[in-house]
Amino acid sequence: MRTNSKLLVPAALVAALSIAALTGCSGGGSGSSSTPAASASQEAAAKSLPSDFPKSDVPLVAGTVIVANGDKNDGWSVTVQPKDKNGFADAKAALEKAGYTAQPGATDSRAVYKNATYTVAVGTPGVAVTYAVTAN
């Protein structure tokens, strides 16, 4: 048993260091080489909004739509990769400008807005902005 446990510790250490090294290479650096690749993959992944999505009633933040599902009966789910890092703040401002009222319980990353026709839950898991839209 000792021989096995001695082998497991170095193997686990190597695995942990490898993961840390990979995370460091792909994380928040300012390397411009990752930006074109990210932009290219975002463009390739662009989706169209469902045909019955209420585009004129529910303003979306400017950017690339990367998820677009749903319909009028069940509601819609849309995720947008914004053009800048202020996507969540821009999304909230656009909804308020369109006449939506913020509901109690908003946080720095989630909020619910309502008007006479729609309820829009907007959130951000990071930079992207996700909308869940339902008809009232």
Side-chain angles (χ1 to χ4, degrees):
M1 273 194 184
R2 270 186 185 225
T3 305
N4 290 341
S5 66
K6 286 182 181 179
L7 292 176
L8 290 177
V9 172
L13 183 59
V14 169
L17 291 174
S18 298
I19 291 169
L22 290 174
T23 302
C25 290
S26 65
S30 62
S32 61
S33 63
S34 65
T35 303
S39 296
S41 67
Q42 288 172 2
E43 289 174 19
K47 305 286 183 188
S48 297
L49 291 172
S51 61
D52 62 350
F53 184 84
K55 294 175 226 163
S56 60
D57 294 325
V58 179
L60 299 177
V61 68
T64 303
V65 175
I66 55 176
V67 174
N69 298 308
D71 57 38
K72 187 175 183 175
N73 294 330
D74 297 321
W76 301 270
S77 176
V78 176
T79 300
V80 178
Q81 184 67 40
K83 291 184 177 185
D84 62 36
K85 294 183 180 183
N86 299 321
F88 183 63
D90 292 346
K92 293 189 314 179
L95 287 165
E96 290 171 8
K97 185 176 179 184
Y100 284 81
T101 304
Q103 302 301 295
T107 69
D108 291 342
S109 62
R110 299 187 194 289
V112 176
Y113 287 85
K114 227 174 176 179
N115 72 7
T117 311
Y118 297 102
T119 298
V120 180
V122 62
T124 182
V127 176
V129 179
T130 299
Y131 298 81
V133 181
T134 54
N136 294 339

